Amino acid sequence: MNRWLGQNISLFLASLLLAFFFWAVAIETEDPTQQGPFALSIPVEILNLDDDMIAYGINGARVRVELRAPKSIWNNLTLEDIHAYIDLANVNTGTLSVPVHVEVKASPVQVLKIIPAAASLTVEEIAEKEVTVTVRVKGTAVFGYKAEEPMVIPQTVRVRGPASWVAQVTQAQVMVDVQGQQSDVRGDYQPELLDQNEHSVPYVEAVPKVVTVNVPISQLGYVRDLAVTVAWEGQPAAGYRIANLVVNPQIVKVFGRVEVVKAVPGYLQTQPVSLEALTQSMTTTVALQMPEGISLISPPRPYVTVSLTIEAIQTGLTLAVTPTIRGLASEMTATLSTESVVLILNGPLAIMEHLQSTDVRVVLDLTKLMPGDYTIIPTVYVPKGVTIQNVIPEAVLVRIERVVAPVLPYR
């Protein structure tokens, strides 16, 4: 038996190796091995760092890896399957270069390359200290208001981080903007940790992360809205009137001592605007009459714009006008159905007061007309500025006849 095994063991091993070779070839043919870089970068995790130590300078570090794996594994690899880390167990403080390790949950996968292969970081002891919270107010409140001393809760925060950076922190500063405010500014703010030169200190954090700040806004005096009224003197020219008056702004905001502002009757007057003999519209800038002890908040200057619309006073007039015949041939005669045409006119009072029937013409144009009966629409001529409201009748019946020469008696 032993002799048989000795004679056949080599044959058995050769058969086994040959079978394994054919199995590997079959597997490789069915599921070929792929090699190359993984498409995504892998975040690097820090492990085994002592609780009283802190590492910085590596935040957000990522690596890329080159892998070898069967195609079926490649097709299903995800970012969650690959873990990159650095092991900081038993490291000393200082700036270190630590190798990066990569583990892959899926199998079989071989890690061929890690880029970069090592990570640089600094390890220090953790330190803490308390610093005072300072509030800096920027901007200015609305005119007539001022920002009072701010209040902050809590008044101190604990700074935590690497010992060398914590030592540089001298203040926790909050910036509050009160520009254009007229009521208290209150909110939660994240303080910025600064050194003695007011430069931001990195790698440290404040505990708590936010503080509550209230900046009281107080009123310096009394603010009130007042209407604007326009004072004028004189009257428009005869026959004209004020059709519209617009002042801009109509309301102004004033400021002053309480008793002074309350004594104002509810409006401010402009300096007088002259209307004397005006015949056309106008727009002008007029100063306000400002009582002593009163200041304007809005508008910033004590002036308003006044727009006056001046228009002629309109009136009506009825005139009976005898028509004038034009273009009638000398051998013809015309007989009209009416002796006069009634005109209803409208226009400015200054013109209409002096308008006479002789200032208006009603013309019947009979040019080239032969004997017969005609309906003629009259043409009416009126002075400039006068409008025709109606013509009665709208058309005149005209009979045209040829003039018959008289027969002289025979002698």
Side-chain angles (χ1 to χ4, degrees):
M1 182 68 178
N2 290 336
R3 182 183 297 176
W4 181 87
L5 282 175
Q7 293 175 347
N8 292 282
I9 188 66
S10 58
L11 182 62
F12 175 76
L13 291 175
S15 299
L16 186 62
L17 288 172
L18 188 62
F20 177 79
F21 171 77
F22 283 113
W23 174 82
V25 170
I27 292 298
E28 181 66 21
T29 303
E30 182 178 346
D31 192 7
T33 299
Q34 290 187 350
Q35 176 179 324
F38 185 66
L40 302 175
S41 61
I42 316 300
V44 178
E45 183 182 3
I46 296 175
L47 299 180
N48 302 320
L49 182 64
D50 289 347
D51 292 341
D52 59 349
M53 309 288 280
I54 187 169
Y56 61 91
I58 194 176
N59 292 345
R62 305 179 77 90
V63 295
R64 290 192 172 273
V65 294
E66 188 173 316
L67 306 173
R68 178 187 290 127
K71 182 178 179 181
S72 60
I73 301 296
W74 263 109
N75 291 343
N76 294 291
L77 272 181
T78 66
L79 194 61
E80 288 72 23
D81 296 322
I82 306 173
H83 180 213
Y85 65 92
I86 56 175
D87 190 349
L88 298 184
N90 302 318
V91 298
N92 297 319
T93 59
T95 301
L96 312 173
S97 180
V98 184
V100 179
H101 304 280
V102 174
E103 293 180 351
V104 184
K105 296 178 184 177
S107 180
V109 176
Q110 183 181 1
V111 179
L112 301 178
K113 194 173 186 179
I114 303 170
I115 305 173
S120 295
L121 73 163
T122 302
V123 177
E124 285 191 38
E125 293 183 354
I126 294 176
E128 293 186 356
K129 73 175 182 180
E130 284 196 354
V131 295
T132 301
V133 179
T134 60
V135 179
R136 177 172 290 183
V137 177
K138 70 174 182 178
T140 55
V142 166
F143 181 78
Y145 292 80
K146 71 170 182 176
E148 302 287 356
E149 189 69 24
M151 296 174 287
V152 58
I153 299 175
Q155 296 180 348
T156 62
V157 293
R158 180 167 292 277
V159 180
R160 188 176 189 276
S164 63
W165 293 103
V166 169
Q168 297 181 41
V169 178
T170 60
Q171 63 171 310
Q173 187 181 96
V174 172
M175 189 75 71
V176 180
D177 189 355
V178 299
Q179 183 65 37
Q181 298 295 323
Q182 60 182 24
S183 59
D184 294 359
V185 178
R186 181 183 176 87
D188 292 333
Y189 298 84
Q190 184 171 342
E192 185 178 10
L193 303 177
L194 306 177
D195 62 17
Q196 61 181 1
N197 297 317
E198 296 198 348
H199 296 150
S200 183
V201 179
Y203 309 122
V204 291
E205 64 178 4
V207 182
K209 289 186 176 182
V210 296
V211 296
T212 300
V213 179
N214 182 54
V215 181
I217 306 295
S218 62
Q219 192 171 1
L220 292 172
Y222 187 66
V223 177
R224 184 181 179 190
D225 289 338
L226 298 176
V228 176
T229 63
V230 179
W232 62 70
E233 54 190 13
Q235 293 295 326
Y240 291 84
R241 68 184 182 92
I242 301 174
N244 194 25
L245 170 64
V246 177
V247 58
N248 184 36
Q250 297 177 339
I251 303 293
V252 296
K253 191 180 294 290
V254 300
F255 163 78
R257 296 197 311 273
V258 175
E259 64 276 11
V260 176
V261 175
K262 286 189 173 181
V264 178
Y267 62 88
L268 289 182
Q269 271 197 326
T270 66
Q271 296 293 340
V273 177
S274 177
L275 307 183
E276 194 62 37
L278 277 182
T279 59
Q280 57 185 359
S281 301
M282 63 175 288
T283 298
T284 184
T285 299
V286 187
L288 291 170
Q289 300 183 42
M290 298 297 299
E292 186 176 354
I294 297 292
S295 300
L296 271 182
I297 298 177
S298 175
R301 298 175 63 245
Y303 293 90
V304 294
T305 301
V306 176
S307 297
L308 282 167
T309 302
I310 303 295
E311 66 179 15
I313 300 173
Q314 301 290 313
T315 187
L317 181 65
T318 302
L319 290 177
V321 181
T322 301
T324 300
I325 294 175
R326 183 172 65 191
L328 182 65
S330 58
E331 69 275 14
M332 304 291 182
T333 182
T335 304
L336 307 182
S337 62
T338 181
E339 292 184 357
S340 62
V341 173
V342 176
L343 302 177
I344 300 176
L345 307 176
N346 189 60
L349 179 63
I351 297 176
M352 304 301 284
E353 283 182 334
H354 305 287
L355 192 66
Q356 303 293 327
S357 59
T358 54
D359 299 324
V360 179
R361 289 195 305 148
V362 176
V363 177
L364 301 175
D365 191 354
L366 307 183
T367 302
K368 296 182 180 181
L369 294 183
M370 302 303 291
D373 293 333
Y374 299 90
T375 300
I376 305 298
I377 297 175
T379 302
V380 181
Y381 298 91
V382 296
K384 184 178 180 180
V386 176
T387 57
I388 303 167
Q389 298 294 310
N390 209 348
V391 179
I392 304 172
E394 293 183 354
V396 177
L397 299 178
V398 179
R399 172 168 292 179
I400 299 177
E401 298 175 314
R402 192 177 301 276
V403 176
V404 178
V407 179
L408 297 176
Y410 178 77
R411 290 186 182 181

